[in-house]
C-alpha cells in the first residue's frame, strides 16, 4: 500500500476521540494544545532561570536550594519531544521526509542565533564562551553544524545549545529503532537506558574519545558519519535507508556513552526521560496499558534519582547547580519529579482548554529558548546585576524577549518549515508496516520542538 493510500485510510478509520498531533500553525484551542502549553512552560522557565540571578537574586538563591528551574524546563521539553517525535516519524512513514522536516525546523533559527552570537562578540557587548576562542574555527563550525557539539568536546556557542545535542542523539536513536521495526519498544528503551545509567553511569568514561583521539579527528569522523547517514536516508531506497539509520543510531549511542560533557549517568537519564515521553504517547494511543505506562514513568524517576545518588561523586553537579553531592541529589530528584508531575498533570487535563497566551508561548518556544541568552547579554549593558529582587526588570526583560520571539518565529521559523514541506517532496522511502497503519495517527499540520 502506498503512503498516500495509507494516509487516506488512517483519516477514515481513526476513532473520533483520537486527537491530531499539535502543529505550529493552529490556535491554542486545538485538542493537543496542552503540549504547546508545556513547551511554553519549558521555554519560560529556562528564560526566567537565566534572568533570575540578575534581577531576582534573593528569590533565585532560595529556589535553587531545592529546585533548578532551567533543568526542569529542559526535562519538560524532552518529555514533549519524546511524546511527539516518534509519532511524527510514524506518521510520515519516511525517514527522508522526517529528516528534511527536522532540519528545516531547527537549523534556520540556529544559524541566525549563531550569527547573532558572533556579531555580538565581534562588534557588540557579547563575549565568546570560555574555551571557544581557543578552538579551531572550522572545527567549532563543523561541530555546531552537526548539532552534536556538546558530545564532541566543543564548548557551546550559546549556553542553551547543549540540549540540542541530546535532541539530535534522540532523533538518531528513534530513527534507528524505526528502521529495525523496534520503534514500538519504547518501554524497554526507557527502562534499559535508565538501568544502564544506574549500573554503569559511574563507570563509563566522559569525553573519552576526545581525550584519546583528539578533538579534530572526532569532530571530522562524526560529521562524516552523520552526513553519510543522512545521505543514505535521503536516497529513499529501503536498504540504504536502513543502513543510514543504523549508522546514525550507532554514532549517537557511542557519543552519549563515551564522549559527553555531562556525566554519562546524566546523559542516559535524559534519554530515558525522552523515551518515557514516548511511553506516555503509547499509553495515550492505547498501545500500552495505563498501569504499565505509569509504572515505567515511576521506575525511570526512581532510576534517575538512584543514578544521581550513586554517581554524582564527591563534587557538586553542573546541570542541577548543587554545590555539594547531597544538594545535587536533592535538587535533581525534586526537579525530575516535578517535571514528570507537570507532564502527567497536563496529560490528565488535556481535554480542557489551556490559556491562549501560554499555548502561544509554546508555538514560539524555540525562538524564546535560543534567543533569550542574547537578549540578556544586551540587557547586561544597560542594567547591572541587582543586589535585591527587582520584579520590574523581569517584566521589562520579558517585554523585550516575547516580541523578538514572535518576530523570529514569523520571519525565520515559519519560512523554514514551509521550505521543508517543499524539499520533502512526495511521500515515499521507508513505509510503516501494514499491520501498524491503522494505529498510526493521521497527519498533523506540523510539529515543533
Amino acid at each position: 500500500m502506498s503512503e498516500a493510500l495509507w494516509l487516506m485510510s488512517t483519516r477514515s478509520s481513526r476513532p473520533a476521540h483520537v486527537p491530531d498531533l499539535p502543529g505550529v500553525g493552529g490556535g491554542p484551542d486545538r485538542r493537543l494544545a496542552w503540549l504547546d502549553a508545556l513547551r511554553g512552560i519549558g521555554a519560560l522557565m529556562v528564560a526566567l532561570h537565566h534572568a533570575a540571578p540578575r534581577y531576582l537574586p534573593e528569590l533565585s538563591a532560595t529556589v535553587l536550594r531545592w529546585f533548578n528551574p532551567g533543568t526542569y524546563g529542559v526535562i519538560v521539553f524532552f518529555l514533549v519531544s519524546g511524546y511527539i517525535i516518534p509519532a511524527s516519524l510514524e506518521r510520515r512513514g519516511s525517514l527522508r521526509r522526517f529528516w528534511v522536516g527536522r532540519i528545516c525546523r531547527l537549523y534556520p533559527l540556529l544559524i541566525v542565533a549563531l550569527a547573532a552570537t558572533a556579531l555580538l562578540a565581534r562588534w557588540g557587548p557579547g563575549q565568546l564562551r570560555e574555551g571557544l576562542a581557543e578552538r579551531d574555527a572550522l572545527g567549532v563550525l563543523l561541530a555546531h553544524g552537526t548539532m552534536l557539539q556538546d558530545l564532541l568536546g566543543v564548548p557551546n556557542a550559546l549556553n542553551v545549545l547543549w540540549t540540542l545535542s541530546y535532541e539530535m542523539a534522540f532523533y538518531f536513536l528513534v530513527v534507528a529503532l524505526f528502521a529495525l521495526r523496534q520503534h514500538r519498544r519504547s518501554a524497554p528503551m526507557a527502562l534499559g537506558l535508565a538501568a544502564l545509567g544506574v549500573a554503569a553511569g559511574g563507570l563509563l568514561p566522559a569525553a573519552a574519545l576526545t581525550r584519546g583521539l583528539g578533538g579534530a579527528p572526532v569532530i571530522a569522523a562524526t560529521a562524516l558519519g552523520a552526513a553519510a547517514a543522512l545521505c543514505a536516508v535521503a536516497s529513499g531506497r529501503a536498504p540504504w535507508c536502513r543502513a543510514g539509520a543504523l549508522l546514525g543510531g550507532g554514532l549517537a549511542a557511542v557519543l552519549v556513552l563515551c564522549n559527553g560533557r555531562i556525566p554519562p549517568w546524566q546523559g542516559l537519564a535524559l534519554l530515558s526521560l525522552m523515551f518515557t515521553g514516548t511511553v506516555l504517547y503509547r499509553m495515550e494511543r492505547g498501545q500500552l496499558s495505563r498501569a504499565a505506562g505509569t509504572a515505567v514513568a515511576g521506575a525511570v524517576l526512581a532510576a534517575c534519582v538512584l543514578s544521581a545518588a550513586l554517581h554524582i561523586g564527591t563534587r557538586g553537579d553542573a546541570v542541577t547547580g548543587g554545590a555539594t553531592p547531597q544538594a545535587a541529589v536533592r535538587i535533581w530528584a525534586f526537579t525530575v519529579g516535578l517535571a514528570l508531575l507537570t507532564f502527567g498533570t497536563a496529560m490528565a487535563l488535556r481535554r480542557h482548554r489551556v490559556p491562549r497566551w501560554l499555548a502561544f508561548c509554546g508555538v514560539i518556544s524555540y525562538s524564546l529558548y535560543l534567543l533569550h541568552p542574547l537578549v540578556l547579554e544586551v540587557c547586561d549593558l544597560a542594567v547591572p546585576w541587582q543586589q535585591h529582587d527587582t520584579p520590574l526588570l523581569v517584566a521589562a526583560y520579558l517585554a523585550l524577549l516575547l516580541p523578538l520571539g514572535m518576530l523570529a518565529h514569523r520571519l525565520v521559523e515559519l519560512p523554514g518549515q514551509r521550505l521543508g514541506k517543499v524539499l520533502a517532496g512526495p511521500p515515499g522511502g521507508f513505509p510503516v508496516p501494514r499491520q501498524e497503519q491503522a494505529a498510526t495517527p493521521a497527519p498533523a499540520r506540523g510539529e515543533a520542538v
Side-chain angles (χ1 to χ4, degrees):
M1 181 185 293
S2 70
E3 183 172 284
L5 291 176
W6 161 61
L7 293 177
M8 293 174 63
S9 69
T10 54
R11 287 193 187 100
S12 60
S13 63
R14 184 165 49 96
H17 72 278
V18 176
D20 287 339
L21 291 174
V24 298
D29 57 346
R30 291 167 298 149
R31 294 175 65 186
L32 282 188
W34 62 280
L35 286 170
D36 277 337
L38 284 172
R39 281 192 292 258
I41 291 171
L44 290 175
M45 290 297 284
V46 174
L48 290 173
H49 171 69
H50 290 135
R54 294 166 162 87
Y55 310 136
L56 301 172
E58 296 166 323
L59 177 62
S60 177
T62 301
V63 170
L64 287 173
R65 293 192 186 102
W66 293 92
F67 167 69
N68 188 296
T71 304
Y72 163 84
V74 166
I75 294 174
V76 169
F77 269 128
F78 282 169
L79 288 167
V80 173
S81 288
Y83 188 97
I84 290 176
I85 294 302
S88 170
L89 177 56
E90 292 167 20
R91 170 182 67 79
R92 294 175 187 273
S94 166
L95 303 183
R96 172 179 55 80
R97 288 170 62 83
F98 170 79
W99 275 118
V100 169
R102 288 290 88 198
I103 289 170
C104 291
R105 173 71 178 90
L106 297 177
Y107 275 89
L109 187 63
L110 176 63
I111 292 170
V112 169
L114 291 175
T117 301
L119 290 175
L120 286 174
R122 180 66 177 84
W123 290 294
Q127 295 182 345
L128 292 176
R129 300 195 71 218
E130 183 179 356
L132 202 58
E134 293 77 24
R135 301 298 297 262
D136 173 67
L138 180 59
V140 170
L141 289 174
L142 197 58
H144 281 79
T146 66
M147 215 178 284
L148 294 166
Q149 71 286 334
D150 202 66
L151 298 169
L152 295 174
V154 175
N156 297 284
L158 283 169
N159 60 339
V160 296
L161 294 185
W162 72 272
T163 63
L164 296 186
S165 294
Y166 286 88
E167 282 272 353
M168 187 62 70
F170 177 67
Y171 296 165
F172 277 121
L173 291 173
V174 168
V175 166
L177 289 172
F178 186 86
L180 291 173
R181 305 302 193 207
Q182 299 297 311
H183 52 287
R184 292 293 187 93
R185 299 180 62 81
S186 309
M189 282 297 299
L191 294 172
L193 288 167
L196 183 60
V198 171
L203 302 176
L204 294 168
L209 297 179
T210 300
R211 290 199 309 268
L213 302 175
V218 174
I219 293 171
T222 299
L224 183 62
L230 294 179
C231 287
V233 166
S235 69
R237 298 182 178 182
W240 287 101
C241 284
R242 183 177 290 107
L246 295 179
L247 173 61
L251 179 66
V254 169
L255 291 177
V256 170
L257 292 174
C258 302
N259 212 54
R261 174 186 59 88
I262 65 176
W265 72 264
Q266 211 158 42
L268 290 167
L270 293 174
L271 286 175
S272 71
L273 287 165
M274 289 188 185
F275 278 103
T276 301
T278 312
V279 167
L280 296 175
Y281 165 77
R282 304 285 179 211
M283 185 180 74
E284 165 68 8
R285 293 287 163 173
Q287 301 166 5
L288 193 69
S289 71
R290 186 172 299 276
T294 304
V296 169
V300 168
L301 172 60
C304 287
V305 176
L306 182 59
S307 291
L310 291 174
H311 303 311
I312 276 182
T314 59
R315 296 179 297 174
D317 176 65
V319 173
T320 62
T324 65
Q326 295 78 11
V329 173
R330 181 181 67 243
I331 294 168
W332 175 255
F334 274 98
T335 301
V336 176
L338 187 56
L340 282 166
L341 180 62
T342 301
F343 192 93
T345 302
M347 192 173 181
L349 299 175
R350 62 192 180 279
R351 306 201 189 282
H352 296 267
R353 295 180 66 86
V354 301
R356 294 181 65 88
W357 67 269
L358 187 57
F360 183 72
C361 285
V363 171
I364 64 172
S365 60
Y366 187 46
S367 291
L368 298 179
Y369 186 77
L370 282 194
L371 298 181
H372 80 268
L374 301 176
V375 173
L376 285 173
E377 282 192 2
V378 174
C379 289
D380 285 346
L381 268 186
V383 182
W385 288 40
Q386 302 297 294
Q387 298 299 315
H388 303 286
D389 290 351
T390 313
L392 187 61
L393 291 177
V394 177
Y397 158 64
L398 293 176
L400 289 174
L401 176 62
L402 290 172
L404 179 62
M406 294 168 58
L407 190 65
H409 176 72
R410 179 177 294 272
L411 298 182
V412 181
E413 289 192 70
L414 289 180
Q417 293 168 33
R418 288 194 288 267
L419 176 63
K421 292 179 181 178
V422 173
L423 295 178
F430 207 80
V432 174
R434 185 185 301 272
Q435 65 271 22
E436 297 181 7
Q437 290 169 0
T440 306
R445 288 165 285 187
E447 297 83 29
V449 294

mmCIF file of all heavy atoms in Angstrom, residues 137-149 152 216 219-221 223-224:
data_model
loop_
_atom_site.group_PDB
_atom_site.id
_atom_site.type_symbol
_atom_site.label_atom_id
_atom_site.label_comp_id
_atom_site.label_asym_id
_atom_site.label_seq_id
_atom_site.Cartn_x
_atom_site.Cartn_y
_atom_site.Cartn_z
ATOM 1 N N ALA A 137 38.449 27.422 14.396
ATOM 2 C CA ALA A 137 37.151 27.951 13.957
ATOM 3 C C ALA A 137 36.402 26.932 13.099
ATOM 4 O O ALA A 137 35.182 26.770 13.227
ATOM 5 C CB ALA A 137 37.343 29.258 13.192
ATOM 6 N N LEU A 138 37.139 26.248 12.211
ATOM 7 C CA LEU A 138 36.495 25.274 11.337
ATOM 8 C C LEU A 138 35.906 24.133 12.158
ATOM 9 O O LEU A 138 34.778 23.674 11.902
ATOM 10 C CB LEU A 138 37.493 24.740 10.315
ATOM 11 C CG LEU A 138 36.942 23.691 9.332
ATOM 12 C CD1 LEU A 138 35.776 24.262 8.529
ATOM 13 C CD2 LEU A 138 38.053 23.197 8.394
ATOM 14 N N GLY A 139 36.658 23.663 13.152
ATOM 15 C CA GLY A 139 36.152 22.589 13.997
ATOM 16 C C GLY A 139 34.923 23.011 14.785
ATOM 17 O O GLY A 139 33.973 22.234 14.941
ATOM 18 N N VAL A 140 34.921 24.250 15.277
ATOM 19 C CA VAL A 140 33.762 24.765 16.020
ATOM 20 C C VAL A 140 32.542 24.817 15.119
ATOM 21 O O VAL A 140 31.436 24.396 15.500
ATOM 22 C CB VAL A 140 34.082 26.150 16.613
ATOM 23 C CG1 VAL A 140 32.811 26.804 17.165
ATOM 24 C CG2 VAL A 140 35.140 26.047 17.700
ATOM 25 N N LEU A 141 32.726 25.340 13.900
ATOM 26 C CA LEU A 141 31.606 25.429 12.959
ATOM 27 C C LEU A 141 31.098 24.045 12.569
ATOM 28 O O LEU A 141 29.887 23.807 12.492
ATOM 29 C CB LEU A 141 32.028 26.210 11.713
ATOM 30 C CG LEU A 141 32.233 27.713 11.889
ATOM 31 C CD1 LEU A 141 32.801 28.322 10.611
ATOM 32 C CD2 LEU A 141 30.917 28.394 12.257
ATOM 33 N N LEU A 142 32.030 23.131 12.329
ATOM 34 C CA LEU A 142 31.634 21.784 11.926
ATOM 35 C C LEU A 142 30.893 21.075 13.062
ATOM 36 O O LEU A 142 29.876 20.406 12.832
ATOM 37 C CB LEU A 142 32.875 20.985 11.520
ATOM 38 C CG LEU A 142 32.663 19.713 10.698
ATOM 39 C CD1 LEU A 142 31.929 20.026 9.407
ATOM 40 C CD2 LEU A 142 34.015 19.052 10.408
ATOM 41 N N ALA A 143 31.375 21.233 14.280
ATOM 42 C CA ALA A 143 30.722 20.598 15.421
ATOM 43 C C ALA A 143 29.315 21.150 15.621
ATOM 44 O O ALA A 143 28.356 20.399 15.821
ATOM 45 C CB ALA A 143 31.553 20.802 16.688
ATOM 46 N N HIS A 144 29.171 22.466 15.556
ATOM 47 C CA HIS A 144 27.845 23.065 15.702
ATOM 48 C C HIS A 144 26.955 22.728 14.502
ATOM 49 O O HIS A 144 25.725 22.669 14.643
ATOM 50 C CB HIS A 144 27.949 24.578 15.870
ATOM 51 C CG HIS A 144 28.339 24.996 17.259
ATOM 52 N ND1 HIS A 144 29.636 24.952 17.709
ATOM 53 C CD2 HIS A 144 27.597 25.453 18.309
ATOM 54 C CE1 HIS A 144 29.682 25.375 18.972
ATOM 55 N NE2 HIS A 144 28.457 25.681 19.354
ATOM 56 N N GLY A 145 27.569 22.503 13.350
ATOM 57 C CA GLY A 145 26.782 22.105 12.187
ATOM 58 C C GLY A 145 26.130 20.748 12.348
ATOM 59 O O GLY A 145 25.031 20.521 11.825
ATOM 60 N N THR A 146 26.786 19.857 13.074
ATOM 61 C CA THR A 146 26.165 18.560 13.357
ATOM 62 C C THR A 146 25.132 18.662 14.469
ATOM 63 O O THR A 146 24.332 17.753 14.675
ATOM 64 C CB THR A 146 27.224 17.533 13.785
ATOM 65 O OG1 THR A 146 27.790 17.940 15.044
ATOM 66 C CG2 THR A 146 28.320 17.392 12.751
ATOM 67 N N MET A 147 25.136 19.749 15.211
ATOM 68 C CA MET A 147 24.303 19.984 16.389
ATOM 69 C C MET A 147 24.661 19.015 17.521
ATOM 70 O O MET A 147 23.934 18.898 18.496
ATOM 71 C CB MET A 147 22.813 19.884 16.059
ATOM 72 C CG MET A 147 21.937 20.857 16.836
ATOM 73 S SD MET A 147 20.191 20.767 16.387
ATOM 74 C CE MET A 147 20.240 21.647 14.829
ATOM 75 N N LEU A 148 25.813 18.354 17.418
ATOM 76 C CA LEU A 148 26.265 17.405 18.434
ATOM 77 C C LEU A 148 27.467 17.936 19.205
ATOM 78 O O LEU A 148 28.201 17.173 19.828
ATOM 79 C CB LEU A 148 26.625 16.070 17.776
ATOM 80 C CG LEU A 148 25.479 15.292 17.136
ATOM 81 C CD1 LEU A 148 26.016 14.178 16.245
ATOM 82 C CD2 LEU A 148 24.545 14.721 18.204
ATOM 83 N N GLN A 149 27.674 19.245 19.172
ATOM 84 C CA GLN A 149 28.895 19.825 19.732
ATOM 85 C C GLN A 149 29.104 19.491 21.204
ATOM 86 O O GLN A 149 30.240 19.332 21.654
ATOM 87 C CB GLN A 149 28.904 21.350 19.529
ATOM 88 C CG GLN A 149 27.921 22.145 20.370
ATOM 89 C CD GLN A 149 26.496 22.012 19.912
ATOM 90 O OE1 GLN A 149 26.248 21.734 18.744
ATOM 91 N NE2 GLN A 149 25.551 22.230 20.803
ATOM 92 N N LEU A 152 30.936 16.416 21.498
ATOM 93 C CA LEU A 152 32.190 16.397 20.739
ATOM 94 C C LEU A 152 33.298 17.182 21.431
ATOM 95 O O LEU A 152 34.332 17.454 20.822
ATOM 96 C CB LEU A 152 31.954 16.973 19.334
ATOM 97 C CG LEU A 152 31.019 16.161 18.437
ATOM 98 C CD1 LEU A 152 30.753 16.898 17.129
ATOM 99 C CD2 LEU A 152 31.606 14.791 18.161
ATOM 100 N N ALA A 216 39.858 17.182 16.827
ATOM 101 C CA ALA A 216 39.661 17.301 15.389
ATOM 102 C C ALA A 216 39.256 15.976 14.734
ATOM 103 O O ALA A 216 38.305 15.945 13.943
ATOM 104 C CB ALA A 216 40.918 17.876 14.734
ATOM 105 N N ILE A 219 35.592 15.144 15.706
ATOM 106 C CA ILE A 219 34.637 16.028 15.027
ATOM 107 C C ILE A 219 34.505 15.644 13.561
ATOM 108 O O ILE A 219 33.391 15.543 13.023
ATOM 109 C CB ILE A 219 35.082 17.499 15.166
ATOM 110 C CG1 ILE A 219 34.992 17.947 16.622
ATOM 111 C CG2 ILE A 219 34.225 18.408 14.281
ATOM 112 C CD1 ILE A 219 35.615 19.304 16.877
ATOM 113 N N ALA A 220 35.644 15.432 12.905
ATOM 114 C CA ALA A 220 35.610 15.091 11.477
ATOM 115 C C ALA A 220 34.897 13.763 11.247
ATOM 116 O O ALA A 220 34.066 13.632 10.332
ATOM 117 C CB ALA A 220 37.035 15.039 10.926
ATOM 118 N N ALA A 221 35.197 12.771 12.076
ATOM 119 C CA ALA A 221 34.558 11.456 11.911
ATOM 120 C C ALA A 221 33.058 11.550 12.166
ATOM 121 O O ALA A 221 32.262 10.925 11.453
ATOM 122 C CB ALA A 221 35.202 10.450 12.850
ATOM 123 N N ALA A 223 31.114 14.265 11.828
ATOM 124 C CA ALA A 223 30.479 14.991 10.733
ATOM 125 C C ALA A 223 30.344 14.109 9.496
ATOM 126 O O ALA A 223 29.305 14.108 8.824
ATOM 127 C CB ALA A 223 31.287 16.247 10.406
ATOM 128 N N LEU A 224 31.395 13.342 9.209
ATOM 129 C CA LEU A 224 31.356 12.446 8.052
ATOM 130 C C LEU A 224 30.305 11.357 8.251
ATOM 131 O O LEU A 224 29.526 11.039 7.340
ATOM 132 C CB LEU A 224 32.732 11.831 7.829
ATOM 133 C CG LEU A 224 32.878 10.915 6.602
ATOM 134 C CD1 LEU A 224 32.609 11.701 5.327
ATOM 135 C CD2 LEU A 224 34.276 10.301 6.566
#
